[in-house]
Amino acid sequence: MNKFTPENIETLEQIILARRDVRGNRFINTPILQKDLDKILFAGVNAPSVGFSQPWEFVVIKDLDIRNKIKDSFFEENEKAKTLFEGKKADAYTQLKLEGIVESALNIAVFYKPSEHPVLGQTTMKEAGVYSVVCAIQNMWLMARALNVGLGWVSILDPNKIKTILNAPENRQLIGYLCLGHVDKFYENPELERLQWEKRKNINDVVIKECYQ
């Protein structure tokens, strides 16, 4: 059994705290080495999964024609999203660069592939399979940061349109659309925290002892 040192623990904590959601204005024109991409994907496929189901599939996209079609979907959905915010947030929203679909070195579409058979641990909470795929994305995010590769998760997309563009099977569910590439810098703090979009929550406000009162 592996036993980790205090130095290992501190390094992991540093990676967790240094992880950032990278926007398109931070990516630079430097390819991702294949060995680094392999490590990021390796981290994903070694994530925890309910019933050891490993219900994930990763579509690696470098083709710019495909990515431009994806970006068109982003523009459509982003126009709809703008109408949902008011006041200062509406003004701030228009200034945000919320994706790096074509600026990044490559994209990865992460899909959930449901099992045709009952899955241990998923018989009651069906969504646990999707949660497993999210665990894979988090693993990839942390490995990317450890390799000094930026990763941004684009969620302002129409999942069905993305499935059509990528010719995904009908039963697949898009969970995450990721933009990966080297960056000019990583912000010290999350960008939305820096821009005062939201404040960081205090741990004492979200940790509940024993049960809700």
Side-chain angles (χ1 to χ4, degrees):
M1 178 183 292
N2 290 328
K3 291 189 175 181
F4 298 104
T5 66
E7 289 76 16
N8 296 146
I9 297 167
E10 182 178 353
T11 298
L12 176 58
E13 183 177 289
Q14 289 175 352
I15 294 169
I16 290 171
L17 293 176
R19 183 208 56 79
R20 294 289 175 264
D21 188 18
V22 176
R23 314 297 183 185
N25 53 353
R26 297 271 67 91
F27 289 114
I28 59 175
N29 189 25
T30 301
I32 296 176
L33 297 175
Q34 186 61 47
K35 66 180 182 67
D36 288 344
L37 177 58
D38 290 344
K39 279 186 176 292
I40 292 167
L41 292 169
F42 179 80
V45 301
N46 281 280
S49 63
V50 60
F52 199 48
S53 56
Q54 305 157 82
W56 38 63
E57 289 181 333
F58 308 91
V59 182
V60 179
I61 308 156
K62 297 182 181 180
D63 185 276
L64 275 177
D65 288 337
I66 295 176
R67 288 198 269 166
N68 275 311
K69 291 177 182 177
I70 302 287
K71 187 159 185 170
D72 287 342
S73 174
F74 167 82
F75 282 140
E76 290 177 16
E77 298 306 313
N78 195 46
E79 287 302 311
K80 299 175 189 176
K82 287 178 182 178
T83 65
L84 301 177
F85 300 97
E86 299 177 349
K88 290 183 178 180
K89 281 201 170 181
D91 295 335
Y93 188 94
T94 60
Q95 302 300 315
L96 292 172
K97 172 66 172 172
L98 295 175
E99 50 77 37
I101 295 169
V102 298
E103 295 89 346
S104 56
L106 56 89
N107 301 169
I108 301 178
V110 186
F111 285 91
Y112 168 59
K113 179 183 178 182
S115 174
E116 297 177 357
H117 309 287
V119 175
L120 175 67
Q122 197 175 332
T123 52
T124 301
M125 295 182 66
K126 303 295 185 184
E127 62 273 22
V130 169
Y131 298 161
S132 299
V133 180
V134 175
C135 287
I137 293 172
Q138 177 73 342
N139 268 20
M140 295 166 69
W141 219 333
L142 294 175
M143 179 60 77
R145 184 62 186 88
L147 293 166
N148 294 311
V149 172
L151 187 155
W153 185 336
V154 184
S155 57
I156 308 174
L157 296 168
D158 183 324
N160 290 323
K161 287 185 180 178
I162 306 310
K163 284 178 62 174
T164 299
I165 293 168
L166 299 178
N167 197 32
E170 180 61 31
N171 71 338
R172 302 302 195 270
Q173 180 181 350
L174 180 70
I175 304 303
Y177 194 87
L178 315 177
C179 304
L180 291 89
H182 289 284
V183 298
D184 56 357
K185 67 177 180 180
F186 288 96
Y187 284 125
E188 190 71 23
N189 299 316
E191 185 174 6
L192 293 182
E193 182 181 17
R194 291 177 58 254
L195 296 174
Q196 298 182 336
W197 182 268
E198 294 287 357
K199 294 181 179 179
R200 182 174 293 280
K201 293 181 179 180
N202 188 297
I203 191 169
N204 294 324
D205 295 332
V206 296
V207 176
I208 299 158
K209 295 181 179 178
E210 311 303 345
C211 66
Y212 286 91
Q213 300 300 315

